[in-house]
Amino acid sequence: MKSREQKKSVERIEKKNNAVTFEVIFAGRSNVGKSTLLNKLTGENVRVGKRPGVTLKPIHLYYDDFLITDMPGFGFMSGVTPEKAEDVKNKIVSYIEDNADRIKIAVQVIDGPAFEEIVERWDARDEIPIDLELHAFLLELNIIPVVAVNKMDKVRDDEVDAMLDRIAEKFGYDSPWKECGCFAPVCARDGQIRPLTSLLKNEIHKMKRDDLFKYFK
């Protein structure tokens, strides 16, 4: 049986969840910098792991009726069995489906410099890359995807536009990437996240929720 304190804790969480009308999730492969990016964006201190796959359950940040959720990373997870990794992926899908009515925006974080190689590796196996599958899934649920292309500090300035054009094409968009309106080149580690902040605020403004701007740095 649950103790009185456990019951109260569950009730508090349920009350917070029932109040949520607007959610933004951060999703992507393990070790792409989701938690670091979220921390830079909000000024919070979500746990950042040194090993891929440290986050195995959603981490929630509640702000009145606004919720920001750091989803577990999918793909390779250090010290986690393939069966567990697959279970985590399935739970991510279930969470998004179950809460699609309140999830308005999904920040899909990718490792920019490694992205093309990862996609080509999946293509060579005649499989749909998880990142592209997730993107299509979000669109099907009418959730606005914003792609945060992280680790851009590893890309030479004169190569940025060409690389982002190729990434946009992998996602099924026409280049140039700047005209797609959903790609934000960032470097979470160095706090270079203004393109993401601008895209998020633009989408939130369209939904007439400028009151949420105060929760972003």
Side-chain angles (χ1 to χ4, degrees), residues 33-183:
K34 293 188 306 299
S35 300
T36 300
L37 185 58
L38 190 154
N39 287 342
K40 296 292 185 181
L41 183 71
T42 64
E44 298 288 351
N45 190 28
V46 171
R47 181 186 178 192
V48 177
K50 294 182 179 180
R51 293 181 294 106
V54 168
T55 304
L56 297 179
K57 294 181 180 179
I59 296 175
H60 302 296
L61 299 174
Y62 292 94
Y63 307 95
D64 297 323
D65 75 324
F66 180 43
L67 174 63
I68 299 178
T69 301
D70 185 18
M71 300 298 296
F74 50 78
F76 172 72
M77 298 180 184
S78 179
V80 175
T81 64
E83 292 77 17
K84 179 62 177 178
E86 184 66 20
D87 181 57
V88 169
K89 188 181 77 169
N90 290 336
K91 286 181 178 177
I92 292 171
V93 171
S94 295
Y95 180 92
I96 295 173
E97 286 180 329
D98 292 345
N99 297 288
D101 59 331
R102 74 183 193 192
I103 299 174
K104 309 301 182 184
I105 302 171
V107 178
Q108 186 177 355
V109 187
I110 65 172
D111 181 334
F115 184 75
E116 291 177 88
E117 181 184 346
I118 292 171
V119 169
E120 289 168 3
R121 196 160 59 232
W122 280 73
D123 285 343
R125 299 198 299 264
D126 200 25
E127 296 177 348
I128 300 174
I130 298 178
D131 304 271
L132 305 187
E133 190 176 19
L134 172 63
H135 197 79
F137 176 61
L138 294 169
L139 290 171
E140 286 177 8
L141 294 176
N142 294 315
I143 296 171
I144 296 171
V146 173
V147 182
V149 187
N150 196 20
K151 304 186 181 182
M152 293 301 292
D153 57 313
K154 299 180 180 180
V155 182
R156 283 174 34 183
D157 290 345
D158 61 347
E159 296 177 349
V160 168
D161 283 334
M163 188 192 79
L164 291 172
D165 283 345
R166 293 194 300 271
I167 288 176
E169 290 169 1
K170 294 289 186 184
F171 275 98
Y173 297 93
D174 293 329
S175 56
W177 69 273
K178 290 181 180 178
E179 295 183 7
C180 301
C182 64
F183 292 93

Side-chain angles (χ1 to χ4, degrees), residues 190-201:
D190 295 340
Q192 304 298 317
I193 63 168
R194 182 171 293 182
L196 175 61
T197 305
S198 296
L199 270 185
L200 283 175
K201 288 185 175 181

